Amino acid sequence: MAAPLPATIRLPAVEPARAWPRVPRAAWVFAAWAAFMALLDPRVLLPWIAPAGAADVAVRACTGAVLTLGIFRLEARFPLEREPRARWAAIHLCGALVFWVAAVAVIFPVHQRLAPGSTLGWRDALLSSLHWHALLYWFVLGAGLALNYSDRVNERESAAARLRVTAARLEAEFARARLHALRMQMQPHFLFNTLNALSELIHVDAARAADVAEQLSGLLRLTLASSAQEVPLRDEMALLGRYLALQRTRFGDRLDVTVSVEAGLEEVRVPATVLQPLVENALQHGIAPGGGVQRVSITARRDEDALVLEVRDNGPGPQPDGRSPRPGVALANIRARLEHLYGAEAARLELVTAPAGRGAIARVRVPLR
């Protein structure tokens, strides 16, 4: 029997996605700063703002990279799209002040050591570089805005994709649960009908009633052993054989059943337990007028790219006005299962009058696979 469905379904946690891993991003930021510093021309800028040699370039690139990653982190912590504009501006004005002071505090002493002829003091270094570091800060912040926005878009797209996969998985689980419920609903229907017949048989023939009970037990074990929604036609016919043996015990010589399966169809997949309720329906509603032998014919044949299963009886068949005398749980459940398994267009169940006008034919058409 299938395992019970969980009472609570937990969705998988959505983890943020990064556009770049942290280490490659830091390497790219350092490379950009190194290239930028190496291209600065001391003749255009104040003497100490332009680097003095390769060592100065390396120090400035490392300092700029660390401060840049800090600006990126600050923007990610207080994104423009979620913060009030005034608060966001105040945060980054403070960030620009820290960037300016920290850059001068690290770079200026190194520059004095590498260029000892400089007479510039700390106050002059701070004031002369204020506009320069302000421009750099807002330029870096703009790059951080673009990069973090790209990260957030990628993160949302990744989360949406994971949620779509989860939704599809839950939808499939729901469909399987519904199919399982429909199948389980038919089994009590069959069981109650058999038990009612068994209760009547006990008073007439106790020995035959004991045989019916034993066969019913074996049939139920076989029916409940698997929760698969599709089985090979061979297995479906084996299950039907057990059911027919049970019915022959009940009906004796008053039941005549013929089974015909076209060669090569034994491994074709069919809905599990699809034939038994159709045969049961035929035995229950297809009673021949005036009593006599009840004939049921079961066929499986190929029709182009479809498998056609037919159950025919010699009863009164559908009424002349087109209404069927045999509505109920079995046929409704089979139609619902076919729609869930194959779609409304790919499979169907029909109940029609036999060509000779005597009896009914229940015809199931499913894709051949």
Side-chain angles (χ1 to χ4, degrees), residues 32-42 51 53 57 60-61:
W33 272 105
F36 175 68
M37 289 297 176
L39 293 175
L40 290 179
D41 189 348
V57 168
R60 291 169 187 256

Side-chain angles (χ1 to χ4, degrees), residues 337-351:
R337 290 181 64 204
L338 291 176
E339 182 176 351
H340 275 78
L341 282 171
Y342 308 107
E345 302 297 328
R348 62 180 180 270
L349 166 63
E350 300 172 325
L351 186 63

Side-chain angles (χ1 to χ4, degrees), residues 33-56:
W33 272 105
F36 175 68
M37 289 297 176
L39 293 175
L40 290 179
D41 189 348
R43 295 170 297 179
V44 178
L45 301 171
L46 292 176
W48 88 269
I49 294 179
D56 204 358

Side-chain angles (χ1 to χ4, degrees), residues 229-284:
Q229 293 299 333
E230 287 186 301
V231 296
L233 179 58
R234 178 192 64 252
D235 294 348
E236 181 69 10
M237 297 306 296
L239 177 65
L240 181 63
R242 284 179 172 266
Y243 173 75
L244 290 174
L246 176 63
Q247 299 307 313
R248 287 192 182 96
T249 304
R250 287 180 52 202
F251 289 96
D253 295 337
R254 293 183 295 111
L255 178 62
D256 180 19
V257 179
T258 59
V259 179
S260 175
V261 178
E262 185 177 321
L265 298 180
E266 293 80 4
E267 299 301 323
V268 174
R269 310 289 290 184
V270 299
T273 327
V274 69
L275 284 174
Q276 177 269 319
L278 294 179
V279 173
E280 181 182 3
N281 208 54
L283 295 178
Q284 183 177 357

Side-chain angles (χ1 to χ4, degrees), residues 55 60 111 113 203:
R60 291 169 187 256
H111 180 79
R113 182 176 295 275
H203 302 290

Side-chain angles (χ1 to χ4, degrees), residues 63-142:
T63 304
V66 170
L67 294 176
T68 295
L69 294 176
I71 296 171
F72 286 176
R73 180 64 178 170
L74 185 66
E75 198 287 323
R77 177 67 178 81
F78 304 100
L80 177 61
E81 60 192 27
R82 291 203 299 263
E83 292 290 333
R85 297 299 171 87
R87 184 168 184 263
W88 183 86
I91 289 171
H92 286 289
L93 283 175
C94 293
L97 179 63
V98 172
F99 177 79
W100 168 47
V101 174
V104 173
V106 174
I107 295 173
F108 185 62
V110 174
H111 180 79
Q112 284 183 316
R113 182 176 295 275
L114 296 176
S118 175
T119 59
L120 205 63
W122 277 96
R123 180 174 178 277
D124 295 331
L126 285 169
L127 293 178
S128 63
S129 64
L130 174 60
H131 66 287
W132 171 254
H133 286 103
L135 288 174
L136 282 180
Y137 181 88
W138 293 106
F139 175 80
V140 170
L141 179 60

Side-chain angles (χ1 to χ4, degrees), residues 354-365:
R358 291 291 305 277
I361 298 177
R363 181 180 297 121
V364 174
R365 185 183 182 91

